[in-house]
Amino acid sequence: MTDKAIMTPKLWTDRAPEETIQVYKEWADEYDSDLAKRGYYSPLRIADALKPYQNMISGPILDFGCGTGISGEALQQIGFDDIHGTDITDEMLKKAEDKGIYSKLWLSQPGDAPAKPGTYDLIVAAGVISLGAAPAEILSDVLDALEIGGHLALSFNDPTLECLNYDKVLDHEIKAGRAKVLFREHGPHLGDLNMGSDVIVIQKT
Ligand SMILES: C[S@@+](CC[C@H](N)C(=O)[O-])C[C@H]1O[C@@H](n2cnc3c(N)ncnc32)[C@H](O)[C@@H]1O
């Protein structure tokens, strides 16, 4: 399958998790080279946005929906050295394993909570809680998996922002007093498509 066939418009639609797994299974071999050609900025922007909070974070961190490990590499580059990763697509996960940057990796099932409540001080979800990937409701499960005071750093790309469901869940969590937005900025997501994303750093309250 060519990269064009995967990227447009199949990627950013609401669909069953089995179809999402199929899309990423077919894309796994070429994912890194495709994105290097296109310019994929959200993982680097997330890592950059995390720098002011880094000294507040201890213990292992979780790269939720780690894919082939591009997001883990960005986290490693800013100094995180105990990174866990999980994903629902085995073929993506195997690529992440080959990179040797994760201290723990596991295959999860769609709808699985990322971890037991209060497990992590930082969870990153780069391009994962998005239209065409994990549903908006998973945001609440991801918050559950954080310690109080812990951080969640994620990106919502333009199609996800237009969908509104994702911001609705985030707003609900803020109004319920479970989350506080520390940083939010729109910037580049995919260079060749001129697509942007909001990078958001949230603290669990
Ligand atoms: C756009 S890729 C992002 C991968 C990586 N974070 C990156 O920045 O390159 C989306 C990833 O989310 C995974 N995914 C989709 N739904 C998920 C879910 N419910 N739980 C965990 N991972 C999921 C997909 O298998 C895919 O690897």
Side-chain angles (χ1 to χ4, degrees):
M1 181 174 294
T2 67
D3 49 5
K4 237 351 182 213
I6 288 168
M7 297 292 280
T8 53
K10 233 174 134 181
L11 201 56
W12 301 287
T13 51
D14 204 3
R15 60 170 167 244
E18 300 71 35
E19 287 174 50
T20 297
I21 293 171
Q22 189 61 28
V23 166
Y24 284 101
K25 178 183 170 173
E26 289 172 15
W27 198 5
D29 277 342
E30 288 167 31
Y31 183 87
D32 283 23
S33 55
D34 272 358
L35 291 186
K37 272 185 261 156
R38 290 168 187 279
Y40 178 39
Y41 301 102
S42 291
L44 295 170
R45 289 178 48 228
I46 288 174
D48 218 37
L50 274 171
K51 284 179 186 166
Y53 313 104
Q54 228 175 329
N55 61 0
M56 300 164 66
I57 293 158
S58 62
I61 64 167
L62 176 65
D63 185 8
F64 177 68
C66 61
T68 61
I70 290 178
S71 35
E73 283 174 314
L75 295 167
Q76 192 186 45
Q77 273 165 24
I78 62 161
F80 288 109
D81 59 4
D82 191 0
I83 310 174
H84 295 176
T86 188
D87 202 284
I88 58 169
T89 309
D90 204 20
E91 290 74 8
M92 297 286 276
L93 208 57
K94 290 214 164 78
K95 302 280 175 195
E97 201 169 5
D98 291 344
K99 289 189 176 142
I101 54 176
Y102 293 94
S103 51
K104 185 176 165 190
L105 274 175
W106 70 96
L107 181 68
S108 44
Q109 301 304 315
D112 276 1
K116 288 190 188 133
T119 304
Y120 289 102
D121 220 8
L122 170 65
I123 300 178
V124 169
V128 180
I129 305 178
S130 290
L131 198 61
E137 294 69 33
I138 202 108
L139 186 62
S140 302
D141 296 329
V142 173
L143 277 175
D144 282 344
L146 285 173
E147 295 170 22
I148 299 284
H151 295 75
L152 165 63
L154 50 76
S155 59
F156 284 167
N157 60 26
D158 287 340
T160 300
L161 291 168
E162 280 155 26
C163 157
L164 302 180
N165 286 350
Y166 291 82
D167 259 314
K168 209 165 141 188
V169 175
L170 177 56
D171 285 346
H172 172 81
E173 293 293 355
I174 293 166
K175 284 191 186 114
R178 293 218 314 146
K180 180 168 82 174
V181 172
L182 302 179
F183 173 93
R184 183 164 185 159
E185 191 174 84
H186 195 259
H189 178 61
L190 284 173
D192 69 325
L193 298 180
N194 204 18
M195 184 184 286
S197 66
D198 274 12
V199 161
I200 311 170
V201 180
I202 296 159
Q203 186 168 34
K204 181 170 171 180
T205 48

